[in-house]
Amino acid sequence: MVRVRLAPSPTGTLHIGTARTAVFNWLYAKSQNGDFLLRIEDTDKERSKPEFTQNILEGLQWLGIDWAEDPVIQSERVAQHRDAIRALLEKGLAYRCYANESELATMRDAQKASNQPPRYDNRHRNLTKEQEAAYQAEGREAVIRFRIDDDADIHWNDLVRGTMRWRGGDLGGDMVVARRAPADQIGDPLYNLVVVVDDAAMEITHVIRGEDHIANTAKQLLLYEALGLPSPTFAHAPLILNADGKKLSKRDGVTSINEFRSMGYTAEAIANYMTLLGWSVPEGMEERFTLGEAADQFSFDRVNKAGARFDWDKLNWLNAQVLHSWSSAQLLDVLRPLWLKNGWTIPNDNGWALELCELLGPSLTLLNDGLDQAAPFFECPALEDDGLKQLQSEGAKAAIGHLIDALQAERWMGTDLDQAQTLLGDAAKAAGVKKGVMMKSLRAALLGRLQGPDLLTTWSLLAKNSDDLPRLQRCLS
């Protein structure tokens, strides 16, 4: 049975790269009737915070990603990690290295000066007991390093990239698997070791992650072999790139799922777009889909090797498509909290709010547009330059004046649109202007500008709350 996992570090909020990795893992698990699991890698004691763990879990749930078992908490498994390191020491596959930071810095400087790639020179790989005792007598602490044979041939069949091959000599020398500690102790276990131990314990069959982990995979395969553990199948997805073709980072602005959510993107659009960041849809499949629909079609032979450039236009198009497909009731469920948070009073008549959502829905790209575009229906807008210019044009104020007279004589309550058309036609005729001048002037008076949604529906909504007449009257002052 296929078992995959997402293993985020709770040192920050849910990043779009991590979320995309979660999506690919979830899609593959569902496509194979397997399990998607979570492991919280919280062994960075200083930077890991419970609020980040909560943010990650909530972000995944918001995207529609569920998991089959309770999350594994990595920090609760340190004893098992140390047992694995102890086993490596006992087999002679790992050793204590007493080189201090000053000595390592001197080594790196010498390598740099001779244009050599940085690597540990394995200087303490074969210390005698007497040499170890001398270092310990100096009070030196030691890291624990895993032996890597420079001639080792490391290869695997990557589900995205095909056959991958590394030499042990390309991995930077013997690998540190535990931090510095007194010589009679095992320090904090490090990433490559604990990942191997935990993935084996969780019976992970496939490790799906970004291509920036490829070198780690080579190191981890050596550890699987050394510990006598079955190795999973690996798949390395392309990185998400910015417009310049570089890895997307915080310097590019929005990168966390929280930020996308606060900007007004929907979970459906974000999940949809992240699937497209590196995966090509099969022929005949639309680019807009749900995660469930994508799972039915997902396979790694359609995952690209090249980096995936982030395209804001594509994401905005997808988000607009999602919003345009929603009913007025769905839209109101999401917009109502935003309106209330803004301090706006929504009429008790639910029909009014639904009608407003029906009016605004087709023009929304982001949910936050439903805040900006709804503002004139809750607050009297200021007159903008184009609105002022229209109201100062010949015949505009006269037309507004005649419309005010008609409304005061025969109050229109916003229900009969035929009556509205008659009122506008009569006011235009009385002022001696074309009906187009009347309509533009009415829009300027109601919205403060010449751009906006359908005019008669706008007027109708404002009239139902008796907000139209005061806006017309201000134009004559």
Side-chain angles (χ1 to χ4, degrees):
M1 180 181 181
V2 167
R3 286 170 65 86
V4 302
R5 52 72 170 173
L6 180 73
S9 297
T11 55
T13 56
L14 180 60
H15 184 275
I16 189 171
T18 304
R20 199 281 302 268
T21 298
V23 167
F24 275 20
N25 274 276
W26 189 91
L27 290 173
Y28 185 67
K30 296 302 179 184
S31 73
Q32 302 297 312
N33 293 315
D35 287 339
F36 171 81
L37 309 175
L38 273 181
R39 181 171 70 240
I40 304 299
E41 298 193 336
D42 61 341
T43 49
D44 187 336
K45 298 173 183 176
E46 292 184 2
R47 296 171 59 217
S48 294
K49 298 185 184 302
E51 55 265 36
F52 291 144
T53 297
Q54 189 64 27
N55 175 272
I56 291 167
L57 298 180
E58 289 177 354
L60 293 174
Q61 289 171 330
W62 179 71
L63 288 169
I65 294 174
D66 54 359
W67 43 94
E69 300 171 6
D70 290 341
V72 170
I73 308 302
Q74 194 170 70
S75 60
E76 296 176 358
R77 294 183 38 78
V78 175
Q80 289 87 339
H81 305 150
R82 287 201 169 102
D83 285 345
I85 294 171
R86 197 171 290 112
L88 293 174
L89 287 168
E90 291 171 355
K91 292 178 183 179
L93 300 177
Y95 61 92
R96 287 182 166 83
C97 168
Y98 298 86
N100 59 36
E101 287 303 320
S102 175
E103 291 167 342
L104 293 174
T106 299
M107 177 194 74
R108 288 190 290 267
D109 289 343
Q111 290 169 344
K112 186 176 181 180
S114 58
N115 294 318
Q116 295 178 3
R119 58 172 285 134
Y120 174 62
D121 58 9
N122 302 343
R123 61 181 62 186
H124 286 183
R125 177 188 274 191
N126 297 308
L127 292 177
T128 64
K129 291 183 178 179
E130 292 76 16
Q131 288 172 317
E132 284 207 60
Y135 282 127
Q136 292 171 20
E138 292 179 21
R140 290 202 189 197
E141 296 184 328
V143 300
I144 296 176
R145 289 184 180 271
F146 172 68
R147 296 175 184 268
I148 296 180
D149 180 359
D150 281 355
D151 295 324
D153 178 29
I154 310 154
H155 57 272
W156 71 93
N157 182 41
D158 195 283
L159 293 181
V160 175
R161 298 167 187 281
T163 301
M164 301 291 293
R165 188 164 241 112
W166 283 67
R167 280 186 64 255
D170 296 328
L171 297 178
D174 293 341
M175 170 176 49
V176 178
V177 292
R179 294 187 193 278
R180 200 173 300 281
D184 61 341
Q185 299 176 27
I186 295 175
D188 292 337
L190 293 177
Y191 172 75
N192 281 308
L193 183 286
V194 301
V195 164
V196 166
V197 173
D198 288 347
D199 279 344
M202 294 171 68
E203 300 181 327
I204 298 302
T205 62
H206 294 73
V207 172
I208 303 163
R209 55 191 179 186
E211 66 177 44
D212 48 341
H213 280 283
I214 289 177
N216 287 332
T217 296
K219 295 174 183 178
Q220 290 163 19
L221 283 169
L222 293 175
L223 285 166
Y224 278 109
E225 182 180 4
L227 291 167
L229 299 172
S231 60
T233 300
F234 289 89
H236 292 90
L239 298 180
I240 302 175
L241 309 178
N242 63 16
D244 298 324
K246 298 179 180 178
K247 183 178 178 182
L248 194 70
S249 70
K250 289 183 178 179
R251 290 188 296 274
D252 297 303
V254 179
T255 56
S256 85
I257 294 301
N258 255 14
E259 291 172 309
F260 284 101
R261 191 174 180 179
S262 66
M263 288 172 66
Y265 288 99
T266 65
E268 185 178 335
I270 291 290
N272 187 163
Y273 184 59
M274 285 191 299
T275 306
L276 294 173
L277 283 171
W279 181 69
S280 302
V281 298
E283 186 175 348
M285 182 178 178
E286 299 289 337
E287 284 197 315
R288 190 192 153 210
F289 46 74
T290 65
L291 281 181
E293 291 167 342
D296 291 338
Q297 301 290 332
F298 188 82
S299 64
F300 279 105
D301 59 358
R302 303 197 70 82
V303 174
N304 305 318
K305 296 179 184 178
R309 295 206 183 205
F310 195 92
D311 184 343
W312 285 99
D313 290 338
K314 174 63 73 67
L315 174 58
N316 288 338
W317 176 81
L318 283 170
N319 206 67
Q321 294 301 304
V322 170
L323 293 180
H324 297 170
S325 72
W326 283 4
S327 68
S328 298
Q330 284 178 288
L331 199 53
L332 181 57
D333 284 343
V334 180
L335 289 181
R336 187 193 298 272
L338 297 179
W339 293 345
L340 293 174
K341 186 178 179 180
N342 220 41
W344 294 339
T345 300
I346 302 172
N348 291 329
D349 176 13
N350 204 46
W352 184 92
L354 286 170
E355 192 175 350
L356 177 56
C357 287
E358 187 173 350
L359 174 66
L360 301 181
S363 63
L364 300 183
T365 297
L366 303 175
L367 278 170
N368 289 357
D369 294 339
L371 193 64
D372 298 336
Q373 294 181 26
F377 294 88
F378 294 101
E379 300 172 347
C380 183
L383 293 170
E384 299 179 13
D385 289 345
D386 61 341
L388 277 171
K389 185 177 180 181
Q390 173 60 35
L391 292 170
Q392 291 167 356
S393 65
E394 185 176 351
K397 285 191 177 182
I400 293 292
H402 284 288
L403 183 58
I404 291 171
D405 292 341
L407 287 174
Q408 288 174 332
E410 183 184 352
R411 188 72 180 101
W412 181 59
M413 300 307 296
T415 53
D416 186 346
L417 295 186
D418 289 336
Q419 182 188 7
Q421 290 280 18
T422 301
L423 289 170
L424 290 172
D426 290 347
K429 185 176 181 180
V433 299
K434 293 182 178 179
K435 195 172 181 180
V437 173
M438 178 74 258
M439 300 285 276
K440 283 185 177 181
S441 301
L442 175 62
R443 186 183 293 279
L446 297 178
L447 299 178
R449 60 181 185 269
L450 296 184
Q451 300 298 318
D454 179 75
L455 179 58
L456 286 184
T457 308
T458 296
W459 187 17
S460 170
L461 285 164
L462 291 169
K464 287 175 180 177
N465 291 333
S466 300
D467 288 331
D468 57 333
L469 193 55
R471 296 190 187 190
L472 292 167
Q473 290 169 331
R474 68 172 173 160
C475 299
L476 301 184
S477 61

